[in-house]
Amino acid sequence: MRIRHLLAALLVLLALPALAQAAPERHKLANGLTIITSENHEAPVVAFQVWVKAGSAYETKGEYGITHLIEHMIFKGTPTYPAGQMARLIEALGGEVNAYTTFDHTNYHVTASSLHAPQALAILSDAVANASFDPDELKAEKEVVVEEIRMNADDPARRRSRELQALSYGPDHPYGRPVLGSEASVRAITRQNILDYRAKWYRAPNMVVVAVGDFHTAELLPLLQRAFGGLDSRPAPEFHLPPVQAAPGPRLKIMREKVRQAALGVTWLAPGLPSDEVYPLDVAAALLSEGRTSRLYSQLKEKRGLVDAVDASNFTPQGQGLFEIEARLAPEKTSHAWPALIAETLSLASQPPSGAELKRARVGLTAEFVRSRETMSGQARLLGYFELLRGGFEKSADYLERYRQVDSSQVAQAIRANLRPENMSMVLQLPEGAEAPDLDSLSALARKAFAEAVPPAEAPEEAAAKIELNGGLTLIVKPQKAVPLVSLVLAAPGGQAAEQASLAGLSQLWARAVTRGTKERSFEQLSQELESMAGSINGFSARSTAGLTGSFLAQDWRRGIELMAEVWREPAFPPEQVERAKEEQLALLRAQEDSPVARTFKAFRHLVYGDHPYGRDPLGTPEILAALTREDLVRAMAKVQGPKGVVLSVVGAVEPEEVRVEAERLFAGLHGQVSPPPTPAPQPIVQPRHKKISDPKAKQTQIVLGFQAPSANDPRRYAMELLEALLGGQGGRLFRDLRDQRSLAYAVQPFYSASWHAGVFGMYMAVGPGKQDEALKGLAEHIELLRDGPPSEQEVARAKSYLLGREAIGLQSYAAQAMTMAVDELLGLGFDNYQHTPERVQALSAADMQQAARQVLLPTGEARLTLGP
């Protein structure tokens, strides 16, 4: 958990004007339970969260993995709600329910429409307080958790993270053990173990309940009292984190694996909260990796090209934290990258940050505060974190001020005091044959670098408006005044659909290169100005659209749209920056080859679409990428500039007329028409296409089974979305049967993706050894069920609520609204299409869903791909 980001978000919740949101309030029940309520009437959504001060660090020998297993079992039935009903009922109310486990706490959370707040609260509270832990359900869920452990074992990043935690803290320290436990430890846990653990830690004084959203506190409190008043009132036992007993560093671990992308992690043991050193270390992490002008990004990635990606974070749990640097890179650059990374990190001690650097860090933090207020669940998560683990949500009120007061000397001193060689650990994940340091060379470099760096001594929502500008550009403006933020999307027809086979990957390269400098400004100058405002402009390329996205604080929207217009009209595509963009895309291609899931879907796309542009890898190939030129990018830009056929969508704290005036001025002089690329529909699948890919080192078999499906313009898309909702979610058919009842997989997921020319409908699973045949049979059974008979009225009602609730939650952010309106306008559906989705979905019947299944999910049109041992 990156506490810097977590802390950042809550402070603005308390510091900025309340608008449509009331200040948080604390309430204490007689049994010792703390309840935090925060009314927020910006959207018809509520979020309830139950926080338990017990995580994997609280486990004793014989309990490893029990906290996470309980998290899985909480929703597996109570005397009131039998197994499988809870998630289904929540989704039938248009809500989402889930949970997560960390080292020091567990969080159970539900988000739902405010119309169904009492029902959602009743289901959540019953699960937490009265879970049955049925033996048969426990046996089945252990298999699901084992599959999750195996899934993590297949992921290079998670393997590396696990090794780095163990090396940094020592494998016997609670923070050095995996939260999930091991296959052996999970299988050994009994129902009695679970009951004992719950009785020990799930007590009212050890828990916090948070409610945020569209409710009235006076009406909600009696419901909360009834829901949680019966919890055990005894205080939980005292918990003391043992000291770290790892040998003095530097410590080194080389992971030789069959990976194409190298990666490394470096940590230094550092103070956790409540130490005052947390504040300058948080600032240091932001200075090192937040934004393109940060030290690690600008020096190691942009100027020297040593890494593909780099990040810094300050992990601050109870007692003992970690200051961490992570990087991904080409294997042949490893021997130069790791010394440079350590030296650049320590440069904060020898070259303390300038005033401009500190200002950017402070502005960036403030921007995070603002953006955190867009969702109810985000606000609830931050309130709960401070209340449970940091002594009260009010104590967050001085965090922003403490952060702002950090000066250069304090940052330098914190680096000197903590980033010492004896506190250091490094894990390198490399393919066989790649050069790697030994412990002696690491120790020598770390001590030399340290010696050099440390010398001795509430506003109502207004309707969106569509405006046709004089030059032909379509402007859509939706004023939203609740949060002082503005999101912009400038989109045109294009993307992958416009690519010839010989230019596969060009659109993705364009999206990476288009913002890397203009005729007026270099990449560095553009980045500096954007970061001085905590703003962003990024390129994007999808299947049938391409363009720019932007996000700015409301006070800077005019300058933001000005810079976006400059990027659109006059991108420079400097040759050196084009090469950097190529390196980024090549790194993604390498990383894709290391991910079983990514390789599976890459092969599946080709299986479904064949030689159609959608069947190719959006990233292209290394060979094509190497051959692409600056001139290719210039031609690609000319095809989408417009202005006719281009849409600019703006959502946020703006006035439509002011945006119109600025847009008219900024895009005047452009001439041209952008039309949808003349891409034919894919060749239909007339007989089943089955493909198996062998991956001997994999611990799971990846399965994708799907069909060509209606495009985004096809009226049947709503029936397909409803079929996906019928199958999906924890209350859907797939989860209940294939995961809950048969314990075949940790993850089983239906998907429907639609774009301009075609869509795809399918199901994904990852299963362990010996389960592949049963999993394939189960998926086939569910497809046949969809064709052979209409779903029950209860299932249809649940699917509709789940689909519409999920869409409402997803459209909370201004960025999501801006993108949805721009793309729907380009597709010919109309910018306000999303507002009509509820009526279209509600009009569908069970017979409509069955008819869509019969038309689309044809036995002869099946594409099936498996990848595994």
Side-chain angles (χ1 to χ4, degrees):
M1 181 183 301
R2 289 176 182 162
I3 301 302
R4 171 165 53 87
H5 294 163
L6 180 64
L7 296 180
L10 180 56
L11 273 296
V12 83
L13 185 67
L14 305 175
L16 294 179
L19 299 173
Q21 178 173 353
E25 298 178 2
R26 178 186 294 103
H27 315 271
K28 279 280 190 180
L29 299 189
N31 60 4
L33 179 73
T34 299
I35 295 174
I36 307 298
T37 59
S38 179
E39 292 186 28
N40 184 334
H41 304 289
E42 295 174 355
V45 176
V46 293
F48 297 116
Q49 298 186 1
V50 178
W51 291 67
V52 185
K53 197 173 184 179
S56 64
Y58 288 61
E59 298 166 355
T60 59
K61 192 171 183 180
E63 294 179 332
Y64 298 159
I66 195 171
T67 315
H68 175 252
L69 182 58
I70 290 174
E71 174 220 307
H72 273 244
M73 288 296 299
I74 281 291
F75 297 111
K76 295 300 176 183
T78 70
T80 304
Y81 300 102
Q85 278 197 10
M86 290 185 175
R88 190 160 65 250
L89 289 171
I90 288 288
E91 290 166 358
L93 300 175
E96 299 174 347
V97 62
N98 218 321
Y100 66 83
T101 305
T102 71
F103 288 125
D104 52 20
H105 70 276
T106 309
N107 182 0
Y108 303 96
H109 51 93
V110 61
T111 304
S113 163
S114 54
L115 292 174
H116 304 302
Q119 300 96 312
L121 175 61
I123 294 169
L124 178 66
S125 62
D126 189 53
V128 174
N130 303 311
S132 301
F133 303 108
D134 176 79
D136 291 336
E137 290 292 330
L138 177 59
K139 180 179 178 181
E141 199 61 24
K142 284 184 184 182
E143 293 302 312
V144 171
V145 172
V146 165
E147 289 300 329
E148 185 178 0
I149 293 170
R150 289 172 178 163
M151 180 180 69
N152 286 352
D154 269 347
D155 187 318
R158 296 192 182 192
R159 291 196 300 269
R160 184 177 67 254
S161 177
R162 184 178 62 203
E163 292 290 350
L164 189 57
Q165 289 286 129
L167 187 66
S168 303
Y169 287 109
D172 295 327
H173 191 274
Y175 291 166
R177 299 192 300 264
V179 171
L180 273 61
S182 65
E183 289 191 36
S185 68
V186 169
R187 292 190 190 280
I189 293 170
T190 67
R191 181 175 185 271
Q192 190 59 49
N193 294 148
I194 289 176
L195 295 176
D196 293 342
Y197 186 91
R198 182 176 68 165
K200 183 179 182 180
W201 299 114
Y202 281 56
R203 300 178 183 180
N206 204 44
M207 300 167 69
V208 170
V209 174
V210 183
V212 175
D214 183 28
F215 56 76
H216 296 288
T217 302
E219 299 172 0
L220 185 67
L221 277 177
L223 302 180
L224 291 164
Q225 168 72 46
R226 285 197 296 272
F228 296 102
L231 290 172
D232 190 337
S233 63
R234 293 176 298 164
E238 288 190 18
F239 170 74
H240 299 285
L241 191 72
V244 174
Q245 296 181 335
R251 295 170 289 274
L252 175 65
K253 170 79 174 183
I254 306 296
M255 301 172 66
R256 293 289 184 183
E257 299 188 340
K258 291 183 178 180
V259 293
R260 292 168 177 81
Q261 176 89 328
L264 65 89
V266 182
T267 65
W268 289 267
L269 291 169
L273 285 169
S275 170
D276 288 342
E277 288 188 87
V278 162
Y279 303 100
L281 288 174
D282 279 355
V283 174
L287 293 167
L288 287 170
S289 71
E290 287 294 307
R292 291 170 170 171
T293 57
S294 61
R295 294 199 179 187
L296 293 179
Y297 189 99
S298 63
Q299 294 298 317
L300 271 65
K301 177 174 167 58
E302 289 301 320
K303 292 186 178 179
R304 301 176 64 181
L306 291 176
V307 300
D308 299 321
V310 64
D311 187 45
S313 60
N314 190 30
F315 175 53
T316 54
Q318 301 177 46
Q320 185 65 71
L322 284 181
F323 193 87
E324 182 173 356
I325 308 293
E326 292 183 297
R328 298 191 303 277
L329 61 158
E332 64 272 14
K333 296 181 180 180
T334 304
S335 60
H336 296 289
W338 70 264
L341 186 145
I342 294 171
E344 193 62 43
T345 300
L346 292 174
S347 73
L348 285 172
S350 58
Q351 303 167 39
S354 66
E357 284 182 293
L358 288 172
K359 180 181 177 181
R360 283 196 295 270
R362 292 163 184 156
V363 171
L365 180 68
T366 302
E368 287 190 52
F369 292 173
V370 173
R371 293 184 173 99
S372 74
R373 300 177 62 222
E374 288 193 281
T375 67
M376 308 301 182
S377 59
Q379 295 170 25
R381 183 171 62 252
L382 296 162
L383 287 169
Y385 172 81
F386 268 102
E387 184 65 29
L388 184 78
L389 301 171
R390 301 299 171 229
F393 68 82
E394 301 94 341
K395 291 194 175 182
S396 66
D398 71 343
Y399 180 85
L400 178 59
E401 188 57 35
R402 295 288 298 274
Y403 189 97
R404 286 172 172 163
Q405 289 176 358
V406 170
D407 60 28
S408 293
S409 63
Q410 290 172 319
V411 173
Q413 179 55 36
I415 296 295
R416 295 183 188 120
N418 296 290
L419 272 58
R420 307 179 66 85
E422 58 267 29
N423 291 339
M424 179 180 165
S425 300
M426 184 166 79
V427 169
L428 276 165
Q429 189 176 45
L430 300 168
E432 293 293 341
E435 186 178 346
D438 57 23
L439 184 57
D440 288 342
S441 60
L442 172 63
S443 298
L445 183 283
R447 297 183 193 286
K448 179 176 181 292
F450 185 79
E452 292 174 351
V454 186
E458 172 152 356
E461 179 179 326
E462 297 181 43
K466 175 181 172 181
I467 307 166
E468 296 293 340
L469 302 187
N470 289 332
L473 185 142
T474 298
L475 173 65
I476 299 165
V477 186
K478 184 179 182 184
Q480 292 277 74
K481 306 295 178 62
V483 177
L485 187 70
V486 177
S487 291
L488 307 96
V489 172
L490 186 59
Q496 191 178 9
E499 292 178 346
Q500 302 171 9
S502 61
L503 297 176
L506 174 63
S507 295
Q508 287 289 326
L509 182 62
W510 173 88
R512 287 178 174 80
V514 68
T515 59
R516 300 181 76 87
T518 69
K519 293 180 181 178
E520 296 292 326
R521 254 166 282 275
S522 69
F523 174 59
E524 291 77 13
Q525 291 170 330
L526 181 61
S527 298
Q528 287 173 358
E529 181 162 4
L530 287 170
E531 290 178 15
S532 71
M533 300 184 291
S536 66
I537 297 176
N538 295 293
F540 74 89
S541 175
R543 283 188 171 183
S544 54
T545 56
L548 301 176
T549 64
S551 177
F552 297 90
L553 297 177
Q555 65 196 33
D556 300 316
W557 77 264
R558 292 177 186 275
R559 185 55 179 156
I561 194 173
E562 197 170 55
L563 290 172
M564 178 177 275
E566 181 180 318
V567 169
W568 190 257
R569 295 180 57 130
E570 300 180 334
F573 298 113
E576 71 279 5
Q577 294 298 337
V578 171
E579 289 305 310
R580 293 288 169 82
K582 284 187 176 183
E583 291 171 7
E584 288 184 0
Q585 195 154 323
L586 186 61
L588 291 174
L589 280 165
R590 289 196 300 265
Q592 182 174 256
E593 290 304 307
D594 288 335
S595 168
V597 177
R599 285 189 289 127
T600 299
F601 275 92
K602 175 182 175 180
F604 177 73
R605 282 195 300 269
H606 187 263
L607 192 65
V608 170
Y609 292 122
D611 293 331
H612 190 274
Y614 294 167
R616 304 176 199 134
D617 189 338
L619 297 173
T621 68
E623 296 75 20
I624 293 177
L625 187 60
L628 293 176
T629 66
R630 176 184 182 275
E631 287 66 33
D632 291 323
L633 293 169
V634 171
R635 285 191 290 270
M637 183 77 247
K639 290 179 180 179
V640 298
Q641 275 180 317
K644 294 180 181 179
V646 178
V647 174
L648 172 61
S649 178
V650 182
V651 178
V654 295
E655 296 297 334
E657 179 58 21
E658 294 178 358
V659 177
R660 184 196 66 77
V661 170
E662 284 298 297
E664 288 273 21
R665 176 179 70 86
L666 293 169
F667 291 94
L670 280 180
H671 302 285
Q673 169 79 49
V674 186
S675 301
T679 306
Q683 287 294 320
I685 301 174
V686 295
Q687 59 183 8
R689 300 175 184 174
H690 295 171
K691 184 174 182 179
K692 297 180 180 180
I693 300 176
S694 175
D695 185 358
K697 67 184 179 69
K699 294 178 172 60
Q700 289 185 310
T701 295
Q702 311 288 325
I703 300 172
V704 185
L705 189 155
F707 306 81
Q708 292 180 5
S711 69
N713 310 74
D714 193 314
R716 293 176 299 169
R717 64 176 285 188
Y718 299 103
M720 300 310 299
E721 290 175 354
L722 206 50
L723 287 172
E724 181 195 9
L726 178 78
L727 296 173
Q730 295 183 42
R733 287 182 178 182
L734 295 184
F735 192 98
R736 286 186 288 123
D737 178 27
L738 302 182
R739 173 173 157 157
D740 271 6
Q741 296 179 19
R742 304 197 209 184
S743 303
L744 291 175
Y746 171 74
V748 53
Q749 183 68 41
F751 57 88
Y752 170 59
S753 174
S755 52
W756 211 320
H757 305 281
V760 60
F761 184 93
M763 307 172 190
Y764 162 78
M765 288 183 73
V767 300
K771 297 181 178 179
Q772 175 179 325
D773 290 344
E774 187 178 355
L776 287 169
K777 179 182 177 183
L779 292 175
E781 290 171 353
H782 280 284
I783 291 171
E784 189 174 352
L785 278 174
L786 293 177
R787 292 193 299 253
D788 288 353
S792 68
E793 291 303 318
Q794 183 180 10
E795 283 186 305
V796 174
R798 176 255 167 203
K800 289 179 178 179
S801 291
Y802 179 47
L803 172 61
L804 296 175
R806 190 172 55 180
E807 178 166 315
I809 292 169
L811 285 172
Q812 289 180 92
S813 76
Y814 295 173
Q817 294 174 41
M819 181 62 79
T820 297
M821 290 193 296
V823 171
D824 281 354
E825 181 67 19
L826 286 177
L827 291 175
L829 300 172
F831 71 94
D832 59 350
N833 178 66
Y834 74 96
Q835 296 179 338
H836 302 291
T837 298
E839 63 193 65
R840 291 167 181 157
V841 170
Q842 294 292 1
L844 291 171
S845 66
D848 294 327
M849 296 170 67
Q850 184 189 8
Q851 182 181 15
R854 286 178 170 174
Q855 292 174 348
V856 176
L857 310 184
L858 300 172
T860 55
E862 176 183 283
R864 189 180 77 198
L865 188 130
T866 59
L867 181 150

